[in-house]
Amino acid sequence: MKISVIGAGAMGGALVEGLLSSDVFSASDITVADPSQEVLDRFSTTGASITTENNAAAEGADIVCVVVKPWLVENVLKGIKENLDYKKQLLIVVAAGVSAASIHQWLAKDDGSLPPLFLCIPNIAIAQRASMTFLVPVGANAMQTRVVKDIFDELGSTIITEERLLAAGTTLASCGIAYAMRYIRAASEGGVELGFKAKDAQHIVEQTMKGAVELLQASHLHPEAAIDLVATPGGVTIKGLNEMEHAGFTSAVIRGLKAGLR
């Protein structure tokens, strides 16, 4: 099975990195297309094929991933339309806010045929095979959907969802990466105030967050139940949590998430 990734910017490049480190594809089965040779050079020694021609990438691939900025999707899809084989290829579009209806309008052929389509929203942790990815199958059958989901499950965790929830998924998981980074930064700075060197403070916070996530995943506890395991009555944990809540911690997080939908 061969896969082509058209667009090797931040997200496209992260996808390629994840694919290269997975066991799903060999490097020789991956083609990376981007108009910038400088961008492509980072993949030149990996064994993947590189090209500045989108049509060359689209031809012969079993799966074509278009990973470009939303305002570029129309031009890219129209540019490769005649090179796509709707009967043999699967199309994945990674672009926030681009609807299936628009994609269908751009790709419909004279006979009305359309490709099996997947709207996809991963996050940049896909480079480390740790993405939270949302998939919306459009005109794809169960077998095709299983193939695509299996690929992204190798690159993290995948949810099959509805198109109406993609924006919410974007703010919760894609923007959420940045929100988590901001907490790490804030907690690390707090660690410096507490007396740790900056590098040590960041390491402590990173490992603590990793531990919290792995604890929840292993135990399936609700976060509040897990907090109860740590928060001794009258202890420092509950005092710290209450101070954060007095400053609007939970409200700020929810407001930030909702702001991403405006």
Side-chain angles (χ1 to χ4, degrees), residues 97-204:
V98 179
S99 69
S102 294
I103 294 170
H104 281 173
Q105 180 181 352
W106 300 328
L107 289 181
K109 294 192 175 180
D110 293 339
D111 61 1
S113 62
L114 292 163
L117 168 67
F118 293 86
L119 303 180
C120 178
I121 299 294
N123 62 37
I124 59 172
I126 201 166
Q128 305 301 319
R129 297 168 61 192
S131 175
M132 179 68 252
T133 300
F134 300 89
L135 279 179
V136 178
V138 184
N141 62 37
M143 182 178 295
Q144 292 165 336
T145 299
R146 191 178 309 113
V147 167
V148 174
K149 185 177 186 298
D150 285 349
I151 291 170
F152 283 96
D153 278 344
E154 285 292 321
L155 304 176
S157 181
T158 312
I159 289 180
I160 303 293
T161 189
E162 306 169 54
E163 186 171 355
R164 68 181 181 86
L165 290 174
L166 282 184
T170 299
T171 191
L172 192 59
S174 297
C175 301
I177 285 279
Y179 304 153
M181 298 294 185
R182 182 57 60 87
Y183 171 79
I184 291 172
R185 189 194 76 176
S188 298
E189 290 178 356
V192 174
E193 280 206 31
L194 293 174
F196 291 101
K197 293 180 179 179
K199 186 175 180 180
D200 291 338
Q202 181 173 328
H203 171 69
I204 291 165

Side-chain angles (χ1 to χ4, degrees), residues 235-256:
V236 295
T237 301
I238 192 62
K239 291 177 181 177
L241 286 170
N242 285 339
E243 280 298 318
M244 292 180 188
E245 289 301 332
H246 288 322
F249 182 82
T250 297
S251 176
V253 171
I254 294 171
R255 288 176 64 187

Side-chain angles (χ1 to χ4, degrees), residues 28 41-42 49-50 61 67 77 84 87 110-111 117 122 131 145-146 154 167 171-172 180 212 214 229 231 235-236 258:
S28 59
D41 284 345
R42 63 188 283 212
S49 299
I50 58 173
V67 194
L77 289 179
L84 293 175
K87 294 181 179 180
D110 293 339
D111 61 1
L117 168 67
S131 175
T145 299
R146 191 178 309 113
E154 285 292 321
T171 191
L172 192 59
E214 292 187 359
L229 299 175
V236 295
K258 291 173 72 174

